[in-house]
Amino acid sequence: MSSSAFTRLDLHFPSELLLREANSIAPAQWARHFNTAYHDGGWQGVALRAIDGDATRLFSDPTRRATIVDTPLLETCPAIQAALRQFCCPLRDVRLLRLAPGSHIREHRDDDLRFEQGEARLHVPLLTHPLVEFYVDDQRVMMEAGECWYLDLSRPHRVRNASPIARIHLVIDCEVNDWLREQIARGDIPVREAITPSGQDQFFAFRERVWADPGLEQRLIGCTDKDVFTQTAVTIGELNGFHFSRDDVASAMSRGRQTWLSQWMV
């Protein structure tokens, strides 16, 4: 039913109250996200609903047959419990996920999470910042605290937290029913201007600069390795006032924009 990469639902939550409960969870209970191939170590979480009620279990059941129950942590979070009761659809895994300042989640897909196959993932930001860049299908999603978003994470997505604070989201996996279909169908995508250029914007601006500057062009010509080329572009960009990441370059390459890149790699 859903063809949108993301949609804001008409649901709103008291983010400060929910954040207070998230921050009350002891630091030792936050576990590193299991998908270590896709992040730099700054992605952590705790489970509020999981298989066997295990608060350290951040991964969902791939068979979709396991029984999901509340973890002991959820019992200590009455405001989050009240928020979850607003979802009139069966809930599966529920987690709090935190991305540390300066950290990033590399581009990947969650192929087992498809709306069309009966499961959807919702994000409720509890703490965020204008310098948090969340991309789905190469489009930046500008989410604000207390909102609720459906994200089609079976599509390529990545996150970069260039802010000085941790980003914390309440992440809810749901079974798709008529209520959720209606919520998504009625949702919207607010128009918001980014306060600062995103890493992706800065990368494209850097690309324009290289085209116009033979000196910069010469520094990229001759890179024979993709990783070397990517790091060289990031380094030269930084030296010239363009702040983008290796993920921004990698994303551009994966989107079939190799034309610009391949002309330098021999």
Side-chain angles (χ1 to χ4, degrees), residues 99-231:
L99 186 63
S103 293
H104 63 275
I105 302 169
R106 300 184 182 92
E107 186 165 277
H108 66 286
R109 297 170 181 255
D110 296 309
D111 289 324
D112 58 341
L113 191 70
R114 291 184 180 276
F115 184 93
E116 293 77 5
Q117 295 176 353
E119 188 155 350
R121 179 162 294 168
L122 307 176
H123 275 238
V124 177
L126 305 186
L127 181 64
T128 188
H129 187 282
L131 291 178
V132 173
E133 299 176 10
F134 199 136
Y135 292 94
V136 179
D137 222 6
D138 218 21
Q139 303 173 74
R140 189 174 179 184
V141 190
M142 304 286 287
M143 295 182 277
E144 295 189 355
E147 297 180 340
C148 180
W149 286 77
Y150 160 71
L151 307 172
D152 182 357
L153 301 182
S154 66
R155 307 188 192 203
H157 58 281
R158 57 194 167 93
V159 189
R160 177 190 183 206
N161 183 3
S163 83
I165 63 172
R167 183 219 69 168
I168 300 177
H169 282 195
L170 176 64
V171 179
I172 305 158
D173 289 352
C174 308
E175 293 181 19
V176 176
N177 64 2
D178 289 344
W179 176 85
L180 186 57
R181 289 190 188 91
E182 182 180 353
Q183 289 292 318
I184 293 175
R186 290 167 44 199
D188 65 352
I189 302 173
V191 176
R192 293 171 175 150
E193 292 291 333
I195 295 175
T196 58
S198 68
Q200 190 175 67
D201 292 338
Q202 297 216 23
F203 170 71
F204 291 131
F206 170 71
R207 184 178 64 175
E208 298 292 329
R209 173 71 70 83
V210 172
W211 271 328
D213 188 331
L216 292 179
E217 178 182 332
Q218 283 300 316
R219 298 186 63 182
L220 288 169
I221 291 177
C223 292
T224 59
D225 179 88
K226 184 171 71 174
D227 289 339
V228 172
F229 174 87
T230 300
Q231 185 56 56

Side-chain angles (χ1 to χ4, degrees), residues 133 160 197-203 206 234 237-245 248:
E133 299 176 10
R160 177 190 183 206
S198 68
Q200 190 175 67
D201 292 338
Q202 297 216 23
F203 170 71
F206 170 71
V234 170
E238 284 284 340
L239 292 173
N240 287 271
F242 299 95
H243 306 291
F244 53 87
S245 67
D248 293 317

Side-chain angles (χ1 to χ4, degrees), residues 33-35 43 46-69 91-95 97 108-114 119-121 153 171-175:
H33 197 282
F34 66 93
N35 206 345
W43 194 16
V46 293
L48 302 178
R49 284 178 54 81
I51 297 174
D52 299 328
D54 183 352
T56 66
R57 185 167 183 145
L58 299 181
F59 55 95
S60 56
D61 168 33
T63 69
R64 302 291 187 265
R65 291 194 292 268
T67 300
I68 310 296
V69 297
L91 302 185
R92 294 191 60 80
D93 301 88
V94 177
R95 294 161 290 233
L97 295 179
H108 66 286
R109 297 170 181 255
D110 296 309
D111 289 324
D112 58 341
L113 191 70
R114 291 184 180 276
E119 188 155 350
R121 179 162 294 168
L153 301 182
V171 179
I172 305 158
D173 289 352
C174 308
E175 293 181 19

Side-chain angles (χ1 to χ4, degrees), residues 3-22:
S3 59
S4 299
F6 46 85
T7 304
R8 184 181 67 172
L9 278 60
D10 188 20
L11 295 170
H12 303 274
F13 300 95
S15 58
E16 291 186 3
L17 190 56
L18 273 56
L19 179 62
R20 194 178 308 152
E21 293 184 345

